[in-house]
PDB file of all heavy atoms in Angstrom:
ATOM      1  N   GLN A 182      15.264  -7.559   6.551  1.00  0.00           N
ATOM      2  CA  GLN A 182      16.032  -6.959   7.639  1.00  0.00           C
ATOM      3  C   GLN A 182      15.897  -7.852   8.829  1.00  0.00           C
ATOM      4  O   GLN A 182      14.839  -8.197   9.305  1.00  0.00           O
ATOM      5  CB  GLN A 182      15.479  -5.576   7.976  1.00  0.00           C
ATOM      6  CG  GLN A 182      15.586  -4.550   6.840  1.00  0.00           C
ATOM      7  CD  GLN A 182      14.994  -3.213   7.249  1.00  0.00           C
ATOM      8  OE1 GLN A 182      14.377  -3.053   8.283  1.00  0.00           O
ATOM      9  NE2 GLN A 182      15.260  -2.197   6.416  1.00  0.00           N
ATOM     10  N   GLU A 183      17.071  -8.296   9.314  1.00  0.00           N
ATOM     11  CA  GLU A 183      17.118  -9.193  10.502  1.00  0.00           C
ATOM     12  C   GLU A 183      16.201 -10.403  10.286  1.00  0.00           C
ATOM     13  O   GLU A 183      15.450 -10.746  11.140  1.00  0.00           O
ATOM     14  CB  GLU A 183      16.696  -8.445  11.754  1.00  0.00           C
ATOM     15  CG  GLU A 183      17.655  -7.243  12.072  1.00  0.00           C
ATOM     16  CD  GLU A 183      17.170  -6.491  13.301  1.00  0.00           C
ATOM     17  OE1 GLU A 183      16.101  -6.812  13.836  1.00  0.00           O
ATOM     18  OE2 GLU A 183      17.923  -5.581  13.748  1.00  0.00           O
ATOM     19  N   ASP A 184      16.353 -10.983   9.096  1.00  0.00           N
ATOM     20  CA  ASP A 184      15.611 -12.192   8.722  1.00  0.00           C
ATOM     21  C   ASP A 184      14.121 -11.983   8.665  1.00  0.00           C
ATOM     22  O   ASP A 184      13.347 -12.964   8.650  1.00  0.00           O
ATOM     23  CB  ASP A 184      15.931 -13.335   9.707  1.00  0.00           C
ATOM     24  CG  ASP A 184      17.433 -13.694   9.703  1.00  0.00           C
ATOM     25  OD1 ASP A 184      18.019 -13.603   8.634  1.00  0.00           O
ATOM     26  OD2 ASP A 184      17.952 -14.069  10.757  1.00  0.00           O
ATOM     27  N   LYS A 185      13.651 -10.745   8.658  1.00  0.00           N
ATOM     28  CA  LYS A 185      12.205 -10.430   8.477  1.00  0.00           C
ATOM     29  C   LYS A 185      12.006  -9.882   7.071  1.00  0.00           C
ATOM     30  O   LYS A 185      12.851  -9.065   6.589  1.00  0.00           O
ATOM     31  CB  LYS A 185      11.727  -9.467   9.522  1.00  0.00           C
ATOM     32  CG  LYS A 185      11.605 -10.057  10.890  1.00  0.00           C
ATOM     33  CD  LYS A 185      11.038  -9.050  11.872  1.00  0.00           C
ATOM     34  CE  LYS A 185      10.842  -9.595  13.246  1.00  0.00           C
ATOM     35  NZ  LYS A 185      10.263  -8.617  14.152  1.00  0.00           N
ATOM     36  N   ILE A 186      10.903 -10.218   6.457  1.00  0.00           N
ATOM     37  CA  ILE A 186      10.573  -9.690   5.137  1.00  0.00           C
ATOM     38  C   ILE A 186       9.580  -8.530   5.276  1.00  0.00           C
ATOM     39  O   ILE A 186       8.567  -8.653   6.020  1.00  0.00           O
ATOM     40  CB  ILE A 186       9.971 -10.756   4.231  1.00  0.00           C
ATOM     41  CG1 ILE A 186      11.053 -11.826   3.918  1.00  0.00           C
ATOM     42  CG2 ILE A 186       9.405 -10.203   2.934  1.00  0.00           C
ATOM     43  CD1 ILE A 186      10.557 -12.888   2.972  1.00  0.00           C
ATOM     44  N   TYR A 187       9.876  -7.422   4.639  1.00  0.00           N
ATOM     45  CA  TYR A 187       8.976  -6.284   4.597  1.00  0.00           C
ATOM     46  C   TYR A 187       8.506  -6.061   3.189  1.00  0.00           C
ATOM     47  O   TYR A 187       9.298  -6.048   2.280  1.00  0.00           O
ATOM     48  CB  TYR A 187       9.633  -5.040   5.176  1.00  0.00           C
ATOM     49  CG  TYR A 187       9.919  -5.195   6.664  1.00  0.00           C
ATOM     50  CD1 TYR A 187      11.172  -5.585   7.088  1.00  0.00           C
ATOM     51  CD2 TYR A 187       8.946  -4.918   7.586  1.00  0.00           C
ATOM     52  CE1 TYR A 187      11.462  -5.739   8.449  1.00  0.00           C
ATOM     53  CE2 TYR A 187       9.214  -5.049   8.942  1.00  0.00           C
ATOM     54  CZ  TYR A 187      10.455  -5.456   9.352  1.00  0.00           C
ATOM     55  OH  TYR A 187      10.713  -5.619  10.718  1.00  0.00           O
ATOM     56  N   VAL A 188       7.189  -5.897   3.038  1.00  0.00           N
ATOM     57  CA  VAL A 188       6.604  -5.801   1.712  1.00  0.00           C
ATOM     58  C   VAL A 188       6.096  -4.389   1.453  1.00  0.00           C
ATOM     59  O   VAL A 188       5.342  -3.875   2.227  1.00  0.00           O
ATOM     60  CB  VAL A 188       5.371  -6.766   1.672  1.00  0.00           C
ATOM     61  CG1 VAL A 188       4.695  -6.709   0.291  1.00  0.00           C
ATOM     62  CG2 VAL A 188       5.803  -8.227   1.967  1.00  0.00           C
ATOM     63  N   PRO A 189       6.606  -3.744   0.361  1.00  0.00           N
ATOM     64  CA  PRO A 189       6.120  -2.452  -0.003  1.00  0.00           C
ATOM     65  C   PRO A 189       4.657  -2.555  -0.510  1.00  0.00           C
ATOM     66  O   PRO A 189       4.426  -3.132  -1.605  1.00  0.00           O
ATOM     67  CB  PRO A 189       7.061  -1.967  -1.097  1.00  0.00           C
ATOM     68  CG  PRO A 189       7.576  -3.239  -1.725  1.00  0.00           C
ATOM     69  CD  PRO A 189       7.539  -4.286  -0.597  1.00  0.00           C
ATOM     70  N   ILE A 190       3.740  -2.046   0.227  1.00  0.00           N
ATOM     71  CA  ILE A 190       2.328  -2.336   0.009  1.00  0.00           C
ATOM     72  C   ILE A 190       1.848  -2.001  -1.408  1.00  0.00           C
ATOM     73  O   ILE A 190       1.284  -2.854  -2.094  1.00  0.00           O
ATOM     74  CB  ILE A 190       1.454  -1.592   1.065  1.00  0.00           C
ATOM     75  CG1 ILE A 190       1.850  -2.055   2.469  1.00  0.00           C
ATOM     76  CG2 ILE A 190      -0.044  -1.835   0.798  1.00  0.00           C
ATOM     77  CD1 ILE A 190       1.291  -1.170   3.556  1.00  0.00           C
ATOM     78  N   ARG A 191       2.061  -0.809  -1.829  1.00  0.00           N
ATOM     79  CA  ARG A 191       1.518  -0.356  -3.129  1.00  0.00           C
ATOM     80  C   ARG A 191       2.249  -1.017  -4.294  1.00  0.00           C
ATOM     81  O   ARG A 191       1.620  -1.417  -5.294  1.00  0.00           O
ATOM     82  CB  ARG A 191       1.589   1.152  -3.218  1.00  0.00           C
ATOM     83  CG  ARG A 191       0.675   1.912  -2.240  1.00  0.00           C
ATOM     84  CD  ARG A 191       0.424   3.317  -2.651  1.00  0.00           C
ATOM     85  NE  ARG A 191      -0.261   3.328  -3.960  1.00  0.00           N
ATOM     86  CZ  ARG A 191      -0.423   4.462  -4.711  1.00  0.00           C
ATOM     87  NH1 ARG A 191       0.069   5.581  -4.219  1.00  0.00           N
ATOM     88  NH2 ARG A 191      -1.038   4.383  -5.836  1.00  0.00           N
ATOM     89  N   SER A 192       3.597  -1.177  -4.172  1.00  0.00           N
ATOM     90  CA  SER A 192       4.306  -1.813  -5.291  1.00  0.00           C
ATOM     91  C   SER A 192       3.966  -3.297  -5.395  1.00  0.00           C
ATOM     92  O   SER A 192       3.896  -3.850  -6.490  1.00  0.00           O
ATOM     93  CB  SER A 192       5.801  -1.636  -5.041  1.00  0.00           C
ATOM     94  OG  SER A 192       6.158  -0.263  -5.046  1.00  0.00           O
ATOM     95  N   PHE A 193       3.760  -3.931  -4.262  1.00  0.00           N
ATOM     96  CA  PHE A 193       3.461  -5.386  -4.212  1.00  0.00           C
ATOM     97  C   PHE A 193       2.114  -5.646  -4.817  1.00  0.00           C
ATOM     98  O   PHE A 193       1.847  -6.763  -5.417  1.00  0.00           O
ATOM     99  CB  PHE A 193       3.547  -5.875  -2.823  1.00  0.00           C
ATOM    100  CG  PHE A 193       3.281  -7.323  -2.644  1.00  0.00           C
ATOM    101  CD1 PHE A 193       4.305  -8.263  -2.926  1.00  0.00           C
ATOM    102  CD2 PHE A 193       2.055  -7.828  -2.220  1.00  0.00           C
ATOM    103  CE1 PHE A 193       4.070  -9.607  -2.797  1.00  0.00           C
ATOM    104  CE2 PHE A 193       1.813  -9.169  -2.045  1.00  0.00           C
ATOM    105  CZ  PHE A 193       2.847 -10.066  -2.349  1.00  0.00           C
ATOM    106  N   ALA A 194       1.176  -4.737  -4.706  1.00  0.00           N
ATOM    107  CA  ALA A 194      -0.219  -4.954  -5.084  1.00  0.00           C
ATOM    108  C   ALA A 194      -0.328  -5.482  -6.556  1.00  0.00           C
ATOM    109  O   ALA A 194      -1.103  -6.399  -6.831  1.00  0.00           O
ATOM    110  CB  ALA A 194      -1.056  -3.705  -4.915  1.00  0.00           C
ATOM    111  N   GLN A 195       0.393  -4.901  -7.457  1.00  0.00           N
ATOM    112  CA  GLN A 195       0.315  -5.215  -8.862  1.00  0.00           C
ATOM    113  C   GLN A 195       0.691  -6.684  -9.143  1.00  0.00           C
ATOM    114  O   GLN A 195       0.219  -7.271 -10.112  1.00  0.00           O
ATOM    115  CB  GLN A 195       1.141  -4.284  -9.713  1.00  0.00           C
ATOM    116  CG  GLN A 195       2.651  -4.378  -9.357  1.00  0.00           C
ATOM    117  CD  GLN A 195       3.465  -3.415 -10.170  1.00  0.00           C
ATOM    118  OE1 GLN A 195       3.401  -3.365 -11.368  1.00  0.00           O
ATOM    119  NE2 GLN A 195       4.282  -2.618  -9.494  1.00  0.00           N
ATOM    120  N   PHE A 196       1.535  -7.278  -8.289  1.00  0.00           N
ATOM    121  CA  PHE A 196       1.982  -8.629  -8.530  1.00  0.00           C
ATOM    122  C   PHE A 196       0.965  -9.647  -8.177  1.00  0.00           C
ATOM    123  O   PHE A 196       1.069 -10.856  -8.587  1.00  0.00           O
ATOM    124  CB  PHE A 196       3.309  -8.911  -7.759  1.00  0.00           C
ATOM    125  CG  PHE A 196       4.498  -8.111  -8.248  1.00  0.00           C
ATOM    126  CD1 PHE A 196       4.873  -6.927  -7.646  1.00  0.00           C
ATOM    127  CD2 PHE A 196       5.235  -8.626  -9.309  1.00  0.00           C
ATOM    128  CE1 PHE A 196       5.982  -6.225  -8.094  1.00  0.00           C
ATOM    129  CE2 PHE A 196       6.341  -7.887  -9.816  1.00  0.00           C
ATOM    130  CZ  PHE A 196       6.670  -6.682  -9.206  1.00  0.00           C
ATOM    131  N   VAL A 197      -0.033  -9.289  -7.371  1.00  0.00           N
ATOM    132  CA  VAL A 197      -1.030 -10.235  -6.919  1.00  0.00           C
ATOM    133  C   VAL A 197      -2.438  -9.819  -7.307  1.00  0.00           C
ATOM    134  O   VAL A 197      -3.451 -10.242  -6.713  1.00  0.00           O
ATOM    135  CB  VAL A 197      -0.936 -10.452  -5.389  1.00  0.00           C
ATOM    136  CG1 VAL A 197       0.292 -11.194  -5.033  1.00  0.00           C
ATOM    137  CG2 VAL A 197      -1.012  -9.154  -4.622  1.00  0.00           C
ATOM    138  N   GLY A 198      -2.561  -8.990  -8.343  1.00  0.00           N
ATOM    139  CA  GLY A 198      -3.853  -8.669  -8.926  1.00  0.00           C
ATOM    140  C   GLY A 198      -4.653  -7.631  -8.210  1.00  0.00           C
ATOM    141  O   GLY A 198      -5.911  -7.603  -8.294  1.00  0.00           O
ATOM    142  N   TYR A 199      -4.000  -6.670  -7.487  1.00  0.00           N
ATOM    143  CA  TYR A 199      -4.681  -5.608  -6.823  1.00  0.00           C
ATOM    144  C   TYR A 199      -4.330  -4.237  -7.368  1.00  0.00           C
ATOM    145  O   TYR A 199      -3.229  -4.037  -7.862  1.00  0.00           O
ATOM    146  CB  TYR A 199      -4.340  -5.619  -5.313  1.00  0.00           C
ATOM    147  CG  TYR A 199      -5.123  -6.575  -4.468  1.00  0.00           C
ATOM    148  CD1 TYR A 199      -4.935  -7.962  -4.628  1.00  0.00           C
ATOM    149  CD2 TYR A 199      -6.028  -6.207  -3.521  1.00  0.00           C
ATOM    150  CE1 TYR A 199      -5.635  -8.912  -3.884  1.00  0.00           C
ATOM    151  CE2 TYR A 199      -6.740  -7.081  -2.746  1.00  0.00           C
ATOM    152  CZ  TYR A 199      -6.557  -8.475  -2.922  1.00  0.00           C
ATOM    153  OH  TYR A 199      -7.247  -9.369  -2.167  1.00  0.00           O
ATOM    154  N   GLU A 200      -5.271  -3.287  -7.235  1.00  0.00           N
ATOM    155  CA  GLU A 200      -4.960  -1.880  -7.466  1.00  0.00           C
ATOM    156  C   GLU A 200      -4.582  -1.216  -6.174  1.00  0.00           C
ATOM    157  O   GLU A 200      -5.001  -1.693  -5.116  1.00  0.00           O
ATOM    158  CB  GLU A 200      -6.194  -1.144  -8.096  1.00  0.00           C
ATOM    159  CG  GLU A 200      -6.686  -1.753  -9.429  1.00  0.00           C
ATOM    160  CD  GLU A 200      -5.715  -1.465 -10.554  1.00  0.00           C
ATOM    161  OE1 GLU A 200      -4.936  -0.474 -10.449  1.00  0.00           O
ATOM    162  OE2 GLU A 200      -5.718  -2.210 -11.521  1.00  0.00           O
ATOM    163  N   SER A 201      -3.843  -0.145  -6.198  1.00  0.00           N
ATOM    164  CA  SER A 201      -3.416   0.528  -4.970  1.00  0.00           C
ATOM    165  C   SER A 201      -3.623   2.036  -5.076  1.00  0.00           C
ATOM    166  O   SER A 201      -3.521   2.614  -6.168  1.00  0.00           O
ATOM    167  CB  SER A 201      -1.967   0.237  -4.635  1.00  0.00           C
ATOM    168  OG  SER A 201      -1.082   0.804  -5.608  1.00  0.00           O
ATOM    169  N   TYR A 202      -3.906   2.690  -3.935  1.00  0.00           N
ATOM    170  CA  TYR A 202      -4.174   4.089  -3.881  1.00  0.00           C
ATOM    171  C   TYR A 202      -3.635   4.691  -2.636  1.00  0.00           C
ATOM    172  O   TYR A 202      -3.627   4.017  -1.548  1.00  0.00           O
ATOM    173  CB  TYR A 202      -5.717   4.361  -3.924  1.00  0.00           C
ATOM    174  CG  TYR A 202      -6.416   3.696  -5.108  1.00  0.00           C
ATOM    175  CD1 TYR A 202      -6.923   2.403  -4.956  1.00  0.00           C
ATOM    176  CD2 TYR A 202      -6.572   4.327  -6.310  1.00  0.00           C
ATOM    177  CE1 TYR A 202      -7.537   1.781  -6.031  1.00  0.00           C
ATOM    178  CE2 TYR A 202      -7.229   3.736  -7.382  1.00  0.00           C
ATOM    179  CZ  TYR A 202      -7.676   2.453  -7.212  1.00  0.00           C
ATOM    180  OH  TYR A 202      -8.304   1.838  -8.276  1.00  0.00           O
ATOM    181  N   SER A 203      -3.202   5.930  -2.701  1.00  0.00           N
ATOM    182  CA  SER A 203      -2.721   6.610  -1.507  1.00  0.00           C
ATOM    183  C   SER A 203      -3.919   7.197  -0.732  1.00  0.00           C
ATOM    184  O   SER A 203      -5.001   7.371  -1.278  1.00  0.00           O
ATOM    185  CB  SER A 203      -1.731   7.742  -1.840  1.00  0.00           C
ATOM    186  OG  SER A 203      -2.377   8.757  -2.603  1.00  0.00           O
ATOM    187  N   GLY A 204      -3.688   7.548   0.516  1.00  0.00           N
ATOM    188  CA  GLY A 204      -4.765   8.066   1.355  1.00  0.00           C
ATOM    189  C   GLY A 204      -5.663   6.968   1.885  1.00  0.00           C
ATOM    190  O   GLY A 204      -5.422   5.777   1.731  1.00  0.00           O
ATOM    191  N   ASP A 205      -6.804   7.408   2.466  1.00  0.00           N
ATOM    192  CA  ASP A 205      -7.784   6.452   2.990  1.00  0.00           C
ATOM    193  C   ASP A 205      -8.950   6.399   2.062  1.00  0.00           C
ATOM    194  O   ASP A 205      -9.211   7.308   1.270  1.00  0.00           O
ATOM    195  CB  ASP A 205      -8.236   6.896   4.401  1.00  0.00           C
ATOM    196  CG  ASP A 205      -8.645   5.727   5.237  1.00  0.00           C
ATOM    197  OD1 ASP A 205      -8.870   4.632   4.694  1.00  0.00           O
ATOM    198  OD2 ASP A 205      -8.802   5.900   6.463  1.00  0.00           O
ATOM    199  N   TYR A 206      -9.686   5.281   2.127  1.00  0.00           N
ATOM    200  CA  TYR A 206     -10.856   5.028   1.259  1.00  0.00           C
ATOM    201  C   TYR A 206     -11.906   6.090   1.472  1.00  0.00           C
ATOM    202  O   TYR A 206     -12.275   6.485   2.586  1.00  0.00           O
ATOM    203  CB  TYR A 206     -11.419   3.673   1.526  1.00  0.00           C
ATOM    204  CG  TYR A 206     -12.583   3.277   0.658  1.00  0.00           C
ATOM    205  CD1 TYR A 206     -12.446   3.269  -0.753  1.00  0.00           C
ATOM    206  CD2 TYR A 206     -13.821   2.916   1.214  1.00  0.00           C
ATOM    207  CE1 TYR A 206     -13.538   2.907  -1.543  1.00  0.00           C
ATOM    208  CE2 TYR A 206     -14.879   2.569   0.437  1.00  0.00           C
ATOM    209  CZ  TYR A 206     -14.757   2.577  -0.945  1.00  0.00           C
ATOM    210  OH  TYR A 206     -15.802   2.199  -1.752  1.00  0.00           O
ATOM    211  N   LYS A 207     -12.368   6.703   0.373  1.00  0.00           N
ATOM    212  CA  LYS A 207     -13.368   7.785   0.356  1.00  0.00           C
ATOM    213  C   LYS A 207     -12.905   9.066   1.023  1.00  0.00           C
ATOM    214  O   LYS A 207     -13.710   9.962   1.253  1.00  0.00           O
ATOM    215  CB  LYS A 207     -14.683   7.296   1.020  1.00  0.00           C
ATOM    216  CG  LYS A 207     -15.462   6.275   0.192  1.00  0.00           C
ATOM    217  CD  LYS A 207     -16.830   6.022   0.796  1.00  0.00           C
ATOM    218  CE  LYS A 207     -17.601   5.021  -0.106  1.00  0.00           C
ATOM    219  NZ  LYS A 207     -18.941   4.743   0.424  1.00  0.00           N
ATOM    220  N   GLN A 208     -11.608   9.145   1.283  1.00  0.00           N
ATOM    221  CA  GLN A 208     -11.041  10.409   1.778  1.00  0.00           C
ATOM    222  C   GLN A 208     -10.117  10.939   0.668  1.00  0.00           C
ATOM    223  O   GLN A 208      -9.014  10.406   0.463  1.00  0.00           O
ATOM    224  CB  GLN A 208     -10.242  10.187   3.051  1.00  0.00           C
ATOM    225  CG  GLN A 208     -11.079   9.618   4.175  1.00  0.00           C
ATOM    226  CD  GLN A 208     -12.174  10.531   4.643  1.00  0.00           C
ATOM    227  OE1 GLN A 208     -11.959  11.656   5.058  1.00  0.00           O
ATOM    228  NE2 GLN A 208     -13.435  10.015   4.563  1.00  0.00           N
ATOM    229  N   TYR A 209     -10.578  11.949  -0.020  1.00  0.00           N
ATOM    230  CA  TYR A 209      -9.914  12.372  -1.240  1.00  0.00           C
ATOM    231  C   TYR A 209      -8.793  13.341  -0.969  1.00  0.00           C
ATOM    232  O   TYR A 209      -8.863  14.520  -1.268  1.00  0.00           O
ATOM    233  CB  TYR A 209     -10.970  12.942  -2.213  1.00  0.00           C
ATOM    234  CG  TYR A 209     -11.990  11.930  -2.599  1.00  0.00           C
ATOM    235  CD1 TYR A 209     -13.275  11.943  -1.975  1.00  0.00           C
ATOM    236  CD2 TYR A 209     -11.735  10.909  -3.477  1.00  0.00           C
ATOM    237  CE1 TYR A 209     -14.237  11.002  -2.293  1.00  0.00           C
ATOM    238  CE2 TYR A 209     -12.655   9.900  -3.756  1.00  0.00           C
ATOM    239  CZ  TYR A 209     -13.880   9.990  -3.188  1.00  0.00           C
ATOM    240  OH  TYR A 209     -14.835   9.014  -3.467  1.00  0.00           O
ATOM    241  N   ALA A 210      -7.740  12.816  -0.311  1.00  0.00           N
ATOM    242  CA  ALA A 210      -6.569  13.553  -0.013  1.00  0.00           C
ATOM    243  C   ALA A 210      -5.364  12.637  -0.239  1.00  0.00           C
ATOM    244  O   ALA A 210      -5.425  11.437   0.101  1.00  0.00           O
ATOM    245  CB  ALA A 210      -6.574  14.116   1.406  1.00  0.00           C
ATOM    246  N   GLU A 211      -4.309  13.138  -0.815  1.00  0.00           N
ATOM    247  CA  GLU A 211      -3.123  12.331  -1.101  1.00  0.00           C
ATOM    248  C   GLU A 211      -2.242  12.286   0.173  1.00  0.00           C
ATOM    249  O   GLU A 211      -1.219  12.959   0.278  1.00  0.00           O
ATOM    250  CB  GLU A 211      -2.354  12.959  -2.273  1.00  0.00           C
ATOM    251  CG  GLU A 211      -3.121  12.928  -3.596  1.00  0.00           C
ATOM    252  CD  GLU A 211      -3.562  11.547  -4.012  1.00  0.00           C
ATOM    253  OE1 GLU A 211      -2.716  10.628  -3.947  1.00  0.00           O
ATOM    254  OE2 GLU A 211      -4.718  11.388  -4.393  1.00  0.00           O
ATOM    255  N   ASP A 212      -2.627  11.481   1.134  1.00  0.00           N
ATOM    256  CA  ASP A 212      -1.939  11.304   2.368  1.00  0.00           C
ATOM    257  C   ASP A 212      -1.017  10.103   2.291  1.00  0.00           C
ATOM    258  O   ASP A 212      -1.474   8.960   2.202  1.00  0.00           O
ATOM    259  CB  ASP A 212      -2.951  11.119   3.501  1.00  0.00           C
ATOM    260  CG  ASP A 212      -2.326  11.035   4.879  1.00  0.00           C
ATOM    261  OD1 ASP A 212      -1.099  10.975   4.933  1.00  0.00           O
ATOM    262  OD2 ASP A 212      -3.107  11.037   5.876  1.00  0.00           O
ATOM    263  N   ASN A 213       0.285  10.354   2.257  1.00  0.00           N
ATOM    264  CA  ASN A 213       1.223   9.230   2.076  1.00  0.00           C
ATOM    265  C   ASN A 213       1.449   8.408   3.330  1.00  0.00           C
ATOM    266  O   ASN A 213       2.201   7.429   3.342  1.00  0.00           O
ATOM    267  CB  ASN A 213       2.589   9.741   1.513  1.00  0.00           C
ATOM    268  CG  ASN A 213       3.323  10.591   2.518  1.00  0.00           C
ATOM    269  OD1 ASN A 213       2.792  10.965   3.542  1.00  0.00           O
ATOM    270  ND2 ASN A 213       4.575  10.941   2.187  1.00  0.00           N
ATOM    271  N   THR A 214       0.831   8.775   4.433  1.00  0.00           N
ATOM    272  CA  THR A 214       0.891   7.917   5.644  1.00  0.00           C
ATOM    273  C   THR A 214      -0.210   6.849   5.655  1.00  0.00           C
ATOM    274  O   THR A 214      -0.256   6.066   6.590  1.00  0.00           O
ATOM    275  CB  THR A 214       0.795   8.794   6.911  1.00  0.00           C
ATOM    276  OG1 THR A 214      -0.547   9.330   7.005  1.00  0.00           O
ATOM    277  CG2 THR A 214       1.790   9.888   6.918  1.00  0.00           C
ATOM    278  N   LYS A 215      -1.063   6.848   4.617  1.00  0.00           N
ATOM    279  CA  LYS A 215      -2.116   5.885   4.539  1.00  0.00           C
ATOM    280  C   LYS A 215      -2.208   5.405   3.108  1.00  0.00           C
ATOM    281  O   LYS A 215      -1.841   6.103   2.145  1.00  0.00           O
ATOM    282  CB  LYS A 215      -3.484   6.488   4.940  1.00  0.00           C
ATOM    283  CG  LYS A 215      -3.531   7.074   6.341  1.00  0.00           C
ATOM    284  CD  LYS A 215      -4.837   7.776   6.616  1.00  0.00           C
ATOM    285  CE  LYS A 215      -4.846   8.447   7.966  1.00  0.00           C
ATOM    286  NZ  LYS A 215      -6.098   9.180   8.232  1.00  0.00           N
TER     287      LYS A 215
END
């Protein structure tokens, strides 16, 4: 967008060898803002 690249964090993770999770670390709630 406007010559800037935006990376979807969780989808991108698998391409570079990372696992991804919703929520905050050690906070066991499915919070899609984190």
Side-chain angles (χ1 to χ4, degrees):
Q182 298 179 350
E183 299 178 355
D184 299 326
K185 289 184 178 179
I186 292 182
Y187 293 96
V188 179
I190 298 166
R191 294 199 61 191
S192 299
F193 182 78
Q195 61 182 308
F196 291 97
V197 289
Y199 278 68
E200 300 290 335
S201 68
Y202 307 89
S203 64
D205 209 346
Y206 181 58
K207 289 189 176 180
Q208 301 297 301
Y209 299 101
E211 297 300 316
D212 184 352
N213 67 351
T214 66
K215 303 174 183 178

